[in-house]
């Protein structure tokens, strides 16, 4: 497949970019196989380079001959583009929808990126989990490294080494992975040195319409909470999307 087949309108002039807390920018909008680019072609003005794969959803609005596209990104950014011409707006929106939902992983940007500079560092060794964990272990002994995903068989989208509560063994992690979408069981993402608070990441639980529960999953979640403390589970999906997912066998955490 050629990307050009998905790009109906590769360039539009006089597009206005709106972002929260930032000044508006008027410039030229260009679509490539992997990026949405807006440039004012003026000095000292920030360009927008947005990966299509970072787009979560788009919304179209029309006022007369002017079209507006509201882009909600996976990193929680919200971007608004005012595009002159209804046809141009429709073409741009349909192209973004197609390019942001490619199925084949080999069509993703890393497989096409070519650095414009000499690579002098071996990137695979720039982050070593064991070294990072040593820093964490110097301030708390409540966590451990798990190699349960060493062959990527438990969760293909997780690294081989993950950080989990010390009280949770690998056999329990395997059961939790079966209860989470694509095997993405809760793992440590951030630890605050001063107050000991943590951030975990995971995918949606497979509760389904019957509200299925998993005692191993609940044990893992509770292992991250200190005595007398409450945690917060933040679901970045809209309510409608979460409800639709539950109807298909997915779901969301219940408040307890």
């Amino acid at each position: 497949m050629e990307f050009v087949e998905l790009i109906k309108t590769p360039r539009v002039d006089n597009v206005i970019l709106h972002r929260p807390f930032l000044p508006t920018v008027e410039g030229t909008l260009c679509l490539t196989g992997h990026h949405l680019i807006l440039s004012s072609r003026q000095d000292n003005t920030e360009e927008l380079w947005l990966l299509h794969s970072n787009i979560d959803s788009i919304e179209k609005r029309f006022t007369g001959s002017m079209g507006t596209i509201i882009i909600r990104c996976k990193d929680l950014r919200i971007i608004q583009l005012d595009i002159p011409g209804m046809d141009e707006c429709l073409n741009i929106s349909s192209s973004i929808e197609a390019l942001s939902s490619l199925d084949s992983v080999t069509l993703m940007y890393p497989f096409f990126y070519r650095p414009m500079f000499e690579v002098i560092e071996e990137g695979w060794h720039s982050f070593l989990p064991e070294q990072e964990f040593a820093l964490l272990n110097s301030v708390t002994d409540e966590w451990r490294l798990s190699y349960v995903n060493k062959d990527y068989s438990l969760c293909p989208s997780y690294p081989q080494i993950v950080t989990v509560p010390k009280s949770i063994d690998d056999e329990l992690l395997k059961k939790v992975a079966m209860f989470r979408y694509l095997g993405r069981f809760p793992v440590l993402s951030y630890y605050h040195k001063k107050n000991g608070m943590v951030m975990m990441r995971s995918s949606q639980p497979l509760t389904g319409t019957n509200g299925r529960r998993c005692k191993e999953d609940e044990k893992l979640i509770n292992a991250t909470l200190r005595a007398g403390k409450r945690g917060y589970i933040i679901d970045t999906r809209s309510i409608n999307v979460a409800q639709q997912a539950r109807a298909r066998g997915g779901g969301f955490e219940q408040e307890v």
Side-chain angles (χ1 to χ4, degrees):
M1 183 195 71
E2 298 290 338
F3 290 115
V4 68
E5 300 174 5
L6 304 177
I7 303 176
K8 299 179 180 180
T9 300
R11 169 176 169 170
V12 180
D13 294 321
N14 303 318
V15 175
I16 300 176
L17 167 67
H18 302 271
R19 291 170 293 180
F21 312 112
L22 293 173
T24 59
V25 177
E26 181 176 352
T28 299
L29 176 69
C30 297
L31 288 183
T32 70
H34 296 100
H35 285 91
L36 180 153
I37 306 169
L38 188 137
S39 174
S40 67
R41 300 185 183 278
Q42 297 179 3
D43 294 335
N44 301 321
T45 300
E46 180 185 359
E47 290 185 331
L48 171 68
W49 284 70
L50 178 64
L51 273 171
H52 299 311
S53 58
N54 193 28
I55 295 175
D56 184 53
S57 65
I58 67 171
E59 177 185 346
K60 301 182 291 292
R61 298 176 183 174
F62 297 97
T63 304
S65 61
M66 176 69 71
T68 296
I69 297 177
I70 299 176
I71 300 174
R72 291 178 171 81
C73 302
K74 296 176 181 177
D75 58 7
L76 305 183
R77 284 183 296 169
I78 298 178
I79 296 169
Q80 177 178 320
L81 299 171
D82 294 338
I83 301 175
M86 184 177 297
D87 290 339
E88 287 78 3
C89 183
L90 288 171
N91 288 341
I92 291 293
S93 63
S94 64
S95 297
I96 294 174
E97 288 174 340
L99 292 167
S100 62
S101 58
L102 298 174
D103 293 329
S104 175
V105 68
T106 58
L107 296 177
M108 299 302 175
Y109 183 55
F111 290 91
F112 292 81
Y113 174 72
R114 298 295 180 269
M116 304 299 291
F117 52 87
E118 181 182 1
V119 179
I120 59 176
E121 181 182 8
E122 174 53 69
W124 291 109
H125 300 291
S126 60
F127 177 87
L128 298 176
E130 289 87 352
Q131 290 183 2
E132 296 297 323
F133 180 75
L135 298 175
L136 173 65
N137 203 38
S138 65
V139 294
T140 177
D141 62 352
E142 299 175 346
W143 303 85
R144 71 177 182 89
L145 289 181
S146 172
Y147 299 82
V148 68
N149 198 45
K150 62 181 180 181
D151 55 359
Y152 300 103
S153 61
L154 198 62
C155 179
S157 60
Y158 267 7
Q160 292 177 303
I161 308 172
V162 294
T163 304
V164 297
K166 194 172 184 178
S167 60
I168 303 300
D169 60 36
D170 286 351
E171 290 303 314
L172 187 141
L173 292 177
K174 294 177 182 178
K175 295 179 180 179
V176 176
M178 295 177 62
F179 183 67
R180 293 281 173 170
Y181 180 67
L182 296 179
R184 296 174 186 155
F185 55 93
V187 297
L188 179 68
S189 293
Y190 174 79
Y191 181 89
H192 196 286
K193 292 183 179 179
K194 291 184 178 180
N195 58 25
M197 297 295 102
V198 303
M199 292 178 63
M200 308 281 287
R201 63 161 294 184
S202 72
S203 61
Q204 62 178 318
L206 303 179
T207 56
T209 56
N210 294 327
R212 189 166 68 93
R213 299 177 64 175
C214 174
K215 63 180 181 180
E216 291 82 7
D217 186 83
E218 294 175 10
K219 182 177 180 180
L220 173 53
I221 297 297
N222 289 329
T224 67
L225 300 176
R226 292 183 175 181
K229 298 292 184 178
R230 294 191 64 185
Y232 297 90
I233 297 176
I234 302 175
D235 195 323
T236 59
R237 300 170 296 175
S238 67
I239 294 178
N240 289 337
V241 171
Q243 294 285 3
Q244 293 171 7
R246 186 171 67 171
R248 297 192 299 267
F252 44 84
E253 274 84 4
Q254 301 295 326
E255 184 176 357
V256 295

